[in-house]
Amino acid sequence: MKNKSSQVYLHYLAGLLFAVSATCNAIDMVNVRPKIAAVAGDRAKFTARFSASSGNDGMVLRALDEQGAVIGTISRNNEDGMMEWSCDTTNLPAGEKIIDLQAVTAGGQIAASVPFSLVLTSPTNIEKWRQQFFGASAVTASSSGTEDPDGDGRSNFEEFAFGMNPNRASDESPVVVSDSSLSGLSGEKGPMRAAFRRRKSYQADGLDYVVEFSNDLTTWNVASSTPNLVADDGSMEMVETAFPPSATGTSFVRIRVVNQ
């Protein structure tokens, strides 16, 4: 059962009442224990109501992981009885963690204990990219693939595909044209070549880099040859392809990136 707005009453013990309502993450009820889902690297959080029963103001709220270590932080407002648990999951592995939300008396006794599951999924490459440049994996108004927050004429989708920074405007073209190979194997002049950066994981990311040539900027023809690898920096690779012969002596090249 998904719950994104209504309250789910979790536990009542010794005059303490916890109610959970998800604000940024969906909560699933599985065997009574709430499950909070998030992408690893994001900030996971939920809000809850801590009832204003007599004596509750003196309670200390904490969240412990399965090893008994404090996980996340809890902010609390005694006036409206609301609390929020928040956790930076950057250094947490993907998978499920059982977390115990506890109310502890001034004397150190656990007056109430409510377990919940934190389920982290591994981020995709584009989610990692959004986390790096926009702070979260989710698509927002500024991180949408069609947006251009730095105003350099390239969409976020293109910036991701070519390994660029979407928050820093650049006049640098992702395509380099040269009359010698970028492989460094030969310094001799030769046919014009077009080189560009692409993601090594482009197939898994659902990307297709289409190389096209034109003599007049009107009619474009897809390159018949497969680009050759000339450099590899771990996550990105540089590839190049030769220009086809031109009857007019003038040729143009463009790289279109499409979703497969």
Side-chain angles (χ1 to χ4, degrees), residues 178-189:
S178 173
D179 58 0
S180 62
S181 174
L182 296 181
S183 65
L185 299 179
S186 173
E188 298 181 359
K189 301 296 183 179

Side-chain angles (χ1 to χ4, degrees), residues 41-42 90 123-144 147-150 152 155-170 197 199 235-236:
D42 284 345
T90 300
T124 62
N125 288 324
I126 195 167
E127 286 177 330
K128 290 178 182 178
W129 184 82
R130 285 196 291 261
Q131 288 174 337
Q132 177 184 358
F133 292 107
F134 297 99
S137 66
V139 177
T140 64
S142 60
S143 68
S144 169
E147 291 300 307
D148 179 19
D150 58 13
D152 63 0
S155 68
N156 286 331
F157 175 72
E158 293 171 319
E159 303 256 14
F160 167 72
F162 291 114
M164 307 180 79
N165 186 337
N167 297 317
R168 185 178 63 205
S170 174
R197 282 164 55 87
R199 306 194 72 85
S235 61
M236 303 293 296

Side-chain angles (χ1 to χ4, degrees), residues 200 206 252:
K200 286 183 64 176
F252 303 92

Side-chain angles (χ1 to χ4, degrees), residues 58-79:
M59 293 289 177
V60 175
L61 302 181
R62 66 186 184 187
L64 305 180
D65 63 16
E66 294 163 295
Q67 286 71 47
V70 173
I71 181 170
T73 58
I74 296 177
S75 59
R76 173 179 167 185
N77 188 326
N78 286 328
E79 293 184 2

Side-chain angles (χ1 to χ4, degrees), residues 12-233:
Y12 180 82
L13 179 65
L16 303 173
L17 178 64
F18 290 102
V20 169
S21 60
T23 54
C24 295
N25 305 106
I27 291 185
D28 294 333
M29 294 299 292
V30 179
N31 295 328
V32 182
R33 186 172 64 210
K35 180 184 291 185
I36 300 175
V39 175
D42 284 345
R43 179 165 290 278
K45 63 181 179 179
F46 69 83
T47 57
R49 182 172 298 281
F50 179 74
S51 72
S53 301
S54 177
N56 282 357
D57 288 355
M59 293 289 177
V60 175
L61 302 181
R62 66 186 184 187
L64 305 180
D65 63 16
E66 294 163 295
Q67 286 71 47
V70 173
I71 181 170
T73 58
I74 296 177
S75 59
R76 173 179 167 185
N77 188 326
N78 286 328
E79 293 184 2
D80 61 13
M82 297 301 295
M83 56 155 284
E84 179 183 85
W85 174 81
S86 177
C87 178
D88 181 358
T89 67
T90 300
N91 297 317
L92 297 180
E96 182 174 6
K97 284 184 172 293
I98 308 302
I99 300 174
D100 200 23
L101 177 61
Q102 299 178 347
V104 183
T105 67
Q109 294 182 329
I110 300 175
S113 176
V114 181
F116 64 91
S117 295
L118 173 62
V119 180
L120 299 177
T121 56
S122 297
T124 62
N125 288 324
I126 195 167
E127 286 177 330
K128 290 178 182 178
W129 184 82
R130 285 196 291 261
Q131 288 174 337
Q132 177 184 358
F133 292 107
F134 297 99
S137 66
V139 177
T140 64
S142 60
S143 68
S144 169
T146 58
E147 291 300 307
D148 179 19
D150 58 13
D152 63 0
R154 299 187 187 93
S155 68
N156 286 331
F157 175 72
E158 293 171 319
E159 303 256 14
F160 167 72
F162 291 114
M164 307 180 79
N165 186 337
N167 297 317
R168 185 178 63 205
S170 174
D171 293 330
E172 180 183 358
S173 171
V175 182
V176 178
V177 175
S178 173
D179 58 0
S180 62
S181 174
L182 296 181
S183 65
L185 299 179
S186 173
E188 298 181 359
K189 301 296 183 179
M192 295 294 292
R193 293 176 172 86
F196 62 94
R197 282 164 55 87
R198 72 181 180 192
R199 306 194 72 85
K200 286 183 64 176
S201 58
Y202 72 94
Q203 292 178 314
D205 295 334
L207 302 178
D208 189 15
Y209 297 76
V210 182
V211 182
E212 296 179 330
F213 294 99
S214 174
N215 294 328
D216 55 13
L217 292 177
T218 300
T219 302
W220 292 90
N221 299 302
V222 177
S224 58
S225 60
T226 301
N228 298 313
L229 177 66
V230 295
D232 183 339
D233 70 2

